[in-house]
Amino acid sequence: MVNAVAAGEQVALEVTWAGTLAVAMGELPVGHVLRARIAVFLEFRDGRILAQRNYDCYDPLNRVR
């Protein structure tokens, strides 16, 4: 996590994410790392998540040639 802000029953998170492919995806081989920057907005009620919105920004895939 990069940053977090809370106000009342709302939380905003700025997150960096990386995932390694376990299976090939198109031209991308097993082991290729996907990366993204994500904004997550959570709304809580009674200590439980009521709603979640994500806005994902994936890095270019850098296709293998």
Side-chain angles (χ1 to χ4, degrees):
M1 180 174 50
V2 175
N3 198 4
V5 177
E9 297 209 353
Q10 297 185 25
V11 175
L13 304 171
E14 180 183 1
V15 179
T16 56
W17 174 89
T20 304
L21 293 178
V23 297
M25 185 176 79
E27 296 178 11
L28 302 176
V30 170
H32 184 85
V33 178
L34 301 172
R35 298 182 191 284
R37 288 175 292 278
I38 303 169
V40 180
F41 297 88
L42 301 168
E43 295 179 35
F44 290 85
R45 183 180 298 155
D46 300 323
R48 294 178 172 235
I49 297 172
L50 175 67
Q52 176 177 338
R53 296 180 313 280
N54 290 23
Y55 300 94
D56 307 335
C57 180
Y58 286 88
D59 288 355
L61 291 179
N62 298 325
R63 298 189 187 281
V64 177
R65 302 247 178 231

